[in-house]
């Protein structure tokens, strides 16, 4: 059976665990010819080199072939073609479509009209489920479990889609969250209500203190974007408050890992990079294995 | 008294929709496609109501609507009461029921939603029936009752 993946909420707990297990197998052996004879289209209506290379590497390492475009300017969309027509045309050629689009809901709509499965590689500010899967895999791999962990999210909790999706995905695993953000960028009410409804414990603070870091298993940093602020002075202030420095990790748990969806700007100081607790570069590498697992699920390949 | 009689003048056959919030009346008119009807229609606007302060009422001769159509009204006028009239008698009287899903009724408020950029039907899930909160099936944004814009 083939299955699209548009939103992290499309996955049950069992499916998440199955994907993580599969990702673990790909980490042990990334080169497996499971996609022999398959063609995967990567349609990037919005450029995202990092995500595209990760998906294309995943296909290549599984022995499949890739077609597609990396910028909408080079597709017929620039001639005014509808998304529907592009999807219908490409589905004649490919067994699977991986798409990134600047409009929210584009992947959901594509999955409704496409005869081949769709993997959402990001739709505007909405969903990016393969990022969430690689976050989960990174947590699972570094902590040896997903259950009963304390996850501290720092930075832009208002617009950061990765923190929202991670929060939703962790609902099955009894997490405790600490939300650390300035008032302008705090966790939206709808996600706090989500936690309340499911009995998920959380604290909320504007102070990025060592006290909180020391209780934490996973420190999930996010980028504070300048365009979110009308007052640039405020931006500069917030940016420096929510910057992680190596000295702040001194009394943290040995098993603590620092995650970041990347690209990082200044929110993690360079001096953290040398700490064994820094995990953001390996985290990105885990994206390959997570995406291999997602591609196999989409095509119904057991392997 | 005269006013009241005028407002509820007898209808032989047809449908009366009462207790429409005044601010939603003309949205209901457009939702039901009343301007395309050929039979007589009375539109009452800002009528005094004991319970609602001001209300709207629609009396449409010789038409009935499928339940599904009527339930769509619930999204913007959850207080509306539907009366079906046959031979001057009210043969059925019931409140509208908020449906679980709205197909191509409501416009998404997110300008970056695919549904506002592609010739396609919209789809919304009613995630809170009491307060009427909708979620776009495509971009997943939420729309509250006072923000609802019809397609």
């Amino acid at each position: 059976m083939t299955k699209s993946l548009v939103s992290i909420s499309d996955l049950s707990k069992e499916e998440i665990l199955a994907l993580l297990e599969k990702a673990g197998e790909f980490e042990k052996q990334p080169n497996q010819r499971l996609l022999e004879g398959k063609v995967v289209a990567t349609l990037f209506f919005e450029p995202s080199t990092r995500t595209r290379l990760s998906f294309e590497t995943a296909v290549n390492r599984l022995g499949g072939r890739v077609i597609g475009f990396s910028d909408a300017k080079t597709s017929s969309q620039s001639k005014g073609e509808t998304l529907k027509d592009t999807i219908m045309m490409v589905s004649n050629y490919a067994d699977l479509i991986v798409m990134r689009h600047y409009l929210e809901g584009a992947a959901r709509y594509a999955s409704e009209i496409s005869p081949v499965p769709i993997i959402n590689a990001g739709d505007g500010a909405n969903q990016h489920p393969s990022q969430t899967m690689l976050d989960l895999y990174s947590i699972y791999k570094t902590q040896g479990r997903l259950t009963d962990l304390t996850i501290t999210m720092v930075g832009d909790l208002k617009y950061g889609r990765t923190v929202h999706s991670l929060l939703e995905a962790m609902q099955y695993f009894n997490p405790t969250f600490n939300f650390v953000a300035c008032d302008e960028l705090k966790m939206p009410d709808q996600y706090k209500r989500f936690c309340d409804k499911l009995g998920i414990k959380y604290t909320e603070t504007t102070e990025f203190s060592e006290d909180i870091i020391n209780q934490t298993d996973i420190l999930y940093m996010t980028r504070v974007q300048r365009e979110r602020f009308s007052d640039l002075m405020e931006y500069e202030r917030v940016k420096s408050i929510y910057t992680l420095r190596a000295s702040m990790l001194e009394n943290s748990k040995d098993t603590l890992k620092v995650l970041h969806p990347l690209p990082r700007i200044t929110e993690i100081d360079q001096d953290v990079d040398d700490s064994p607790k820094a995990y953001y570069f390996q985290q990105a590498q885990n994206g390959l294995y997570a995406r291999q697992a997602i591609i196999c699920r989409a095509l119904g390949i057991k392997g | 008294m005269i006013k009241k009689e005028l407002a509820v003048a007898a209808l032989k056959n047809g449908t009366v929709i009462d207790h429409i919030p005044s601010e939603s009346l003309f949205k209901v008119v457009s939702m039901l496609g009343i301007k395309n009807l050929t039979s007589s229609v009375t539109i009452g606007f800002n009528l005094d109501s004991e319970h609602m302060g001001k209300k709207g009422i629609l009396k449409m001769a010789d038409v009935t609507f499928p339940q599904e159509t009527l339930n769509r009204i619930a999204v913007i006028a959850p207080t509306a009461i539907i009366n079906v009239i046959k031979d001057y008698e009210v043969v059925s009287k019931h409140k509208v029921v908020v449906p679980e899903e709205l197909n191509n009724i409501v416009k998404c408020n997110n300008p970056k939603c695919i549904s506002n950029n592609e010739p396609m039907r919209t789809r919304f899930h009613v995630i809170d029936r009491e307060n009427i909160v909708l979620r776009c099936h495509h971009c997943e944004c939420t729309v509250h009752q006072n923000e609802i814009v019809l397609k």
Side-chain angles (χ1 to χ4, degrees):
Chain A
M1 196 168 73
T2 61
K3 281 178 179 169
S4 293
L5 178 59
V6 174
S7 166
I8 196 69
S9 57
D10 296 350
L11 298 173
S12 65
K13 179 183 178 179
E14 289 68 33
E15 284 177 299
I16 289 175
L17 293 172
L19 280 171
L20 294 179
E21 192 182 322
K22 197 88 196 142
E25 289 170 25
F26 284 123
E27 177 160 15
K28 285 188 205 114
Q29 180 47 269
N31 300 315
Q32 299 186 37
R33 305 199 70 78
L34 296 171
L35 293 187
E36 194 86 67
K38 299 281 187 197
V39 174
V40 176
T42 52
L43 309 185
F44 278 60
F45 297 90
E46 170 188 70
S48 172
T49 310
R50 193 187 305 269
T51 303
R52 185 173 57 84
L53 292 182
S54 178
F55 269 110
E56 293 187 355
T57 306
V59 175
N60 283 319
R61 290 200 179 276
L62 295 173
R65 308 294 293 247
V66 177
I67 59 168
F69 52 83
S70 54
D71 190 337
K73 282 194 214 72
T74 63
S75 83
S76 293
Q77 209 206 11
S78 61
K79 299 171 190 158
E81 187 179 55
T82 60
L83 175 62
K84 181 182 179 182
D85 288 12
T86 306
I87 294 293
M88 294 313 278
M89 186 271 298
V90 173
S91 66
N92 289 330
Y93 308 139
D95 302 291
L96 167 69
I97 294 173
V98 176
M99 65 179 279
R100 153 85 63 135
H101 205 286
Y102 49 88
L103 292 173
E104 285 128 37
R108 178 69 67 198
Y109 176 59
S111 75
E112 288 166 352
I113 53 171
S114 170
V116 303
I118 301 283
I119 294 175
N120 184 8
D123 59 328
N126 187 30
Q127 293 285 335
H128 192 5
S130 66
Q131 174 71 45
T132 310
M133 283 313 302
L134 77 89
D135 289 345
L136 289 174
Y137 183 63
S138 299
I139 295 170
Y140 183 68
K141 202 176 124 183
T142 58
Q143 306 296 319
R145 65 184 206 274
L146 285 176
T147 45
D148 310 319
L149 295 171
T150 299
I151 300 177
T152 299
M153 298 172 160
V154 185
D156 181 355
L157 307 188
K158 185 173 179 186
Y159 300 101
R161 66 180 172 193
T162 56
V163 293
H164 301 155
S165 300
L166 182 59
L167 185 151
E168 280 185 60
M170 287 302 295
Q171 64 174 294
Y172 307 114
F173 306 107
N174 189 37
T176 302
F177 290 112
N178 298 312
F179 302 137
V180 181
C182 62
D183 286 334
E184 292 90 332
L185 297 175
K186 64 181 191 163
M187 186 59 81
D189 285 343
Q190 70 180 102
Y191 294 101
K192 284 184 270 177
R193 277 202 300 271
F194 176 84
C195 289
D196 290 336
K197 211 172 79 186
L198 295 170
I200 295 171
K201 301 177 286 294
Y202 65 87
T203 69
E204 193 175 24
T205 173
T206 56
E207 254 175 82
F208 188 27
S209 67
E210 281 186 49
D211 199 31
I212 279 195
I213 295 174
N214 296 347
Q215 301 163 22
T216 298
D217 297 303
I218 291 289
L219 185 54
Y220 198 97
M221 303 294 299
T222 62
R223 185 158 51 105
V224 173
Q225 291 173 308
R226 186 198 307 250
E227 54 269 32
R228 305 297 182 206
F229 289 83
S230 50
D231 181 352
L232 278 184
M233 294 272 282
E234 184 63 16
Y235 166 68
E236 293 298 332
R237 186 187 72 82
V238 166
K239 197 174 67 171
S240 69
I241 292 177
Y242 302 104
T243 294
L244 179 69
R245 295 178 178 82
S247 59
M248 297 162 78
L249 296 174
E250 264 168 25
N251 296 311
S252 62
K253 291 187 186 180
D254 293 340
T255 52
L256 170 96
K257 291 290 183 241
V258 180
L259 268 56
H260 190 299
L262 302 180
R264 148 190 69 170
I265 311 294
T266 57
E267 56 280 0
I268 301 177
D269 196 283
Q270 298 272 344
D271 70 4
V272 180
D273 296 358
D274 300 326
S275 162
K277 293 172 183 173
Y279 195 73
Y280 26 94
F281 297 121
Q282 294 99 307
Q283 180 189 358
Q285 191 190 10
N286 288 335
L288 172 64
Y289 316 127
R291 290 182 174 112
Q292 286 181 305
I294 289 168
I295 289 167
C296 287
R297 172 188 179 268
L299 288 169
I301 293 170
K302 292 271 185 282
Chain B
M1 200 58 207
I2 290 171
K3 189 176 174 188
K4 188 158 189 179
E5 269 179 28
L6 277 176
V8 293
L11 190 65
K12 189 181 177 200
N13 291 301
T15 304
V16 176
I17 305 179
D18 197 0
H19 294 99
I20 304 169
S22 273
E23 62 273 17
S24 302
L25 178 72
F26 291 99
K27 284 187 183 176
V28 174
V29 167
S30 104
M31 207 180 233
L32 294 175
I34 284 174
K35 71 175 179 191
N36 300 321
L37 292 179
T38 49
S39 57
S40 71
V41 175
T42 311
I43 298 176
F45 181 47
N46 283 340
L47 307 184
D48 289 321
S49 160
E50 240 177 79
H51 302 295
M52 308 175 65
K54 297 282 182 193
K55 68 168 183 179
I57 188 167
L58 289 173
K59 295 175 44 195
M60 296 157 284
D62 305 322
V63 283
T64 53
F65 296 93
Q67 197 56 45
E68 196 201 329
T69 309
L70 295 171
N71 286 344
R72 291 175 195 168
I73 298 171
V75 180
I76 48 168
T79 50
I81 306 273
I82 313 286
N83 299 275
V84 179
I85 316 287
K86 270 193 188 132
D87 246 341
Y88 301 104
E89 299 280 336
V90 178
V91 293
S92 95
K93 178 172 185 156
H94 58 90
K95 273 189 82 168
V96 288
V97 182
V98 183
E100 279 176 17
E101 212 177 284
L102 297 165
N103 285 303
N104 217 27
I105 315 267
V106 174
K107 191 178 161 307
C108 186
N109 288 3
N110 173 7
K112 282 189 69 197
C113 177
I114 185 72
S115 69
N116 287 318
N117 293 273
E118 178 92 1
M120 60 183 277
R121 295 166 64 83
T122 64
R123 188 171 158 199
F124 281 84
H125 303 280
V126 179
I127 54 171
D128 181 343
R129 295 167 83 101
E130 212 165 300
N131 303 308
I132 315 281
V133 182
L134 314 178
R135 187 175 62 226
C136 175
H137 177 73
H138 292 101
C139 78
E140 306 184 23
C141 74
T142 50
V143 178
H144 294 262
Q145 190 184 6
N146 57 353
E147 305 163 339
I148 291 174
V149 179
L150 298 178
K151 232 192 138 171

